[in-house]
Amino acid sequence: MHETLYFEDVHVGQRFESAKRVITVDEIKRFASEFDPQPFHLDEEAAAKSLFGALAASGWHTAALTMRLLVDSTAPMSGGVVGAGVEIAWTRPVRVGDELQVVSEILEARESRSKPDRGIITLRSETRNQKGETVQVLTSRIVMPRRETKG
């Protein structure tokens, strides 16, 4: 595991890569049945007739998997991954057997004007499949504690 990172430890352009995770039919259907019960996430026959052409994971499932990969296997941020806003785009479907990995880059790092004990970073995280194709782009503003409070 990496050393815990504080706001002072990060910089624009810094990159992180997660571990990889293979997506199974059972987890696609299990997530969908509880959180996004649409036929193209639950049934192969219905999915084949949909615009997806085959079973596809919910975009929300992809977002949840991305968060899990970020928390489990990228550089640990002090205080956790605490979001202050997010933009998300699903660029292609996630299929059974896809192996996902998250590649993140810090786009911006700025000190908080109102709270001197923290900073805010903008992190762009691309979730990619085994072919290197981007399946999701998540741009997050993350609150990071400072090691030392200015003041």
Side-chain angles (χ1 to χ4, degrees), residues 5-148:
L5 296 177
Y6 290 84
F7 179 71
E8 295 89 342
D9 301 323
V10 301
H11 61 273
V12 172
Q14 194 169 5
R15 295 174 58 92
F16 309 97
E17 286 189 6
S18 77
K20 297 177 181 180
R21 178 168 173 160
V22 176
I23 309 311
T24 68
V25 66
D26 290 339
E27 69 181 319
I28 287 174
K29 290 181 178 182
R30 188 170 45 252
F31 183 94
S33 68
E34 187 166 355
F35 300 108
D36 191 358
Q38 299 186 75
F40 41 80
H41 300 317
L42 293 167
D43 178 79
E44 287 87 343
E45 195 173 306
K49 297 174 186 171
S50 75
L51 65 95
F52 292 109
L55 197 68
S58 167
W60 297 112
H61 186 187
T62 304
L65 288 165
T66 297
M67 186 66 183
R68 183 64 189 244
L69 288 168
L70 284 170
V71 169
D72 283 354
S73 64
T74 60
M77 297 178 186
S78 63
V81 181
V82 179
V86 66
E87 292 178 22
I88 191 168
W90 296 293
T91 54
R92 64 182 345 113
V94 171
R95 306 288 188 182
V96 174
D98 276 355
E99 182 179 60
L100 301 184
Q101 181 178 36
V102 181
V103 178
S104 302
E105 181 177 358
I106 296 176
L107 302 180
E108 180 183 28
R110 66 176 177 81
E111 296 179 0
S112 172
R113 289 182 216 112
S114 61
K115 296 187 169 70
D117 64 335
R118 65 196 73 170
I120 299 173
I121 65 168
T122 301
L123 187 71
R124 177 185 166 96
S125 298
E126 291 187 6
T127 306
R128 300 175 183 167
N129 65 21
Q130 69 282 359
K131 297 174 189 172
E133 300 166 330
T134 300
V135 299
Q136 177 186 274
V137 178
L138 180 73
T139 305
S140 324
R141 287 182 312 285
I142 299 171
V143 178
M144 289 188 76
R146 297 180 68 91
R147 181 176 282 114
E148 301 173 14

